[in-house]
Amino acid sequence: MKEPVRTLAYICPKCRQPVIAERTVFSLCASRSQLPCPCGGSKLEIDPLDAEVTLTVPCAYCKKEHRVTVFQRAFLHQKALALSCQASGLDCCYVGEEGPVFAAMKRLEQAMDNLEPPKEGENRQEDGQFLNELVMRESLEELRDIAARGGVSCQCGSKKWSLSIHYASIELSCAQCGAKMRMPAASQDDLTDLCCKNSLVIREQS
């Protein structure tokens, strides 16, 4: 019987190329490991500890490393776990099944084609700039249409929610339980995916 595997992926901030590899579940749980870029300019670090996994993720947007801790069950079993840059809302790493991870990476590469790193001291969200102005505007319009139909709810049952707009994503927050759902809004595929949905259910990723 084939040993279960997970696909890990990120974009190297130095050479801007995708770094994708497959690792067995056993190797990911057994000890600390790394996924280096062939150019030598970055590496994804994975540190398992009891019921959690800490990842140190290179970010192609801000050029910094993001340290993120996730539940082990999500790291090992979720179809596609997305980790994002807090400065932009743009995804910077994926862990999951091969198909969903490759699809997400394709969308991220499309978004990266439009990406120019921020200048020192620049806050693009305050300046009203988005990674893709057209996609963001149309995504918000589509979200308003879904909301007008009563199509936004939370897994807890509440239909009260709030909206936050980031440089490359939209975040929905449940007013009752605090669960959050982030939707990328940076590429045409992101918009197409949203347009295919009749409703949205806020689910906290854990």
Side-chain angles (χ1 to χ4, degrees):
M1 187 175 179
K2 187 177 179 181
E3 187 174 353
V5 297
R6 300 293 277 169
T7 300
L8 301 97
Y10 71 96
I11 291 181
C12 174
K14 184 174 181 179
C15 69
R16 294 172 68 90
Q17 295 301 307
V19 183
I20 306 175
E22 198 175 73
R23 296 283 189 270
T24 65
V25 167
F26 175 79
S27 67
L28 290 171
C29 293
S31 61
R32 298 179 67 176
S33 57
Q34 298 180 346
L35 173 55
C37 178
C39 80
S42 66
K43 60 184 176 183
L44 171 67
E45 299 182 56
I46 305 103
D47 186 9
L49 180 63
D50 298 327
E52 296 180 332
V53 179
T54 298
L55 297 97
T56 304
V57 184
C59 180
Y61 175 78
C62 66
K63 309 297 183 184
K64 298 177 182 178
E65 290 183 333
H66 300 299
R67 191 173 174 85
V68 184
T69 299
V70 299
F71 288 114
Q72 189 179 86
R73 65 177 179 271
F75 181 75
L76 297 179
H77 301 294
Q78 196 159 303
K79 184 175 291 187
L81 178 65
L83 308 178
S84 61
C85 168
Q86 294 302 309
S88 65
L90 194 68
D91 291 342
C92 56
C93 176
Y94 299 107
V95 181
E97 299 174 6
E98 181 182 22
V101 168
F102 271 83
M105 277 297 287
K106 180 182 176 183
R107 291 163 60 170
L108 180 57
E109 288 181 77
Q110 289 179 359
M112 291 293 293
D113 289 341
N114 297 320
L115 180 63
E116 291 182 10
K119 298 176 183 177
E120 187 174 351
E122 180 183 17
N123 186 325
R124 287 177 170 170
Q125 188 175 346
E126 288 183 357
D127 293 341
Q129 299 177 11
F130 301 107
L131 179 57
N132 189 318
E133 297 278 351
L134 179 61
V135 166
M136 179 62 76
R137 185 172 67 250
E138 294 190 2
S139 294
L140 289 170
E141 289 176 359
E142 185 63 29
L143 178 57
R144 290 189 188 99
D145 288 344
I146 296 173
R149 300 194 297 266
V152 181
S153 62
C154 179
Q155 60 183 350
C156 75
S158 174
K159 287 203 169 188
K160 295 182 179 180
W161 50 277
S162 60
L163 173 74
S164 298
I165 304 171
H166 303 284
Y167 177 59
S169 66
I170 301 168
E171 185 177 77
L172 302 180
S173 302
C174 175
Q176 180 167 296
C177 72
K180 299 179 185 297
M181 180 176 72
R182 188 183 56 81
M183 301 178 295
S187 70
Q188 190 60 44
D189 281 354
D190 294 335
L191 176 59
T192 300
D193 183 59
L194 180 59
C195 290
C196 290
K197 290 180 168 61
N198 290 319
S199 63
L200 295 168
V201 179
I202 302 171
R203 294 186 176 92
E204 187 79 72
Q205 291 186 346
S206 59

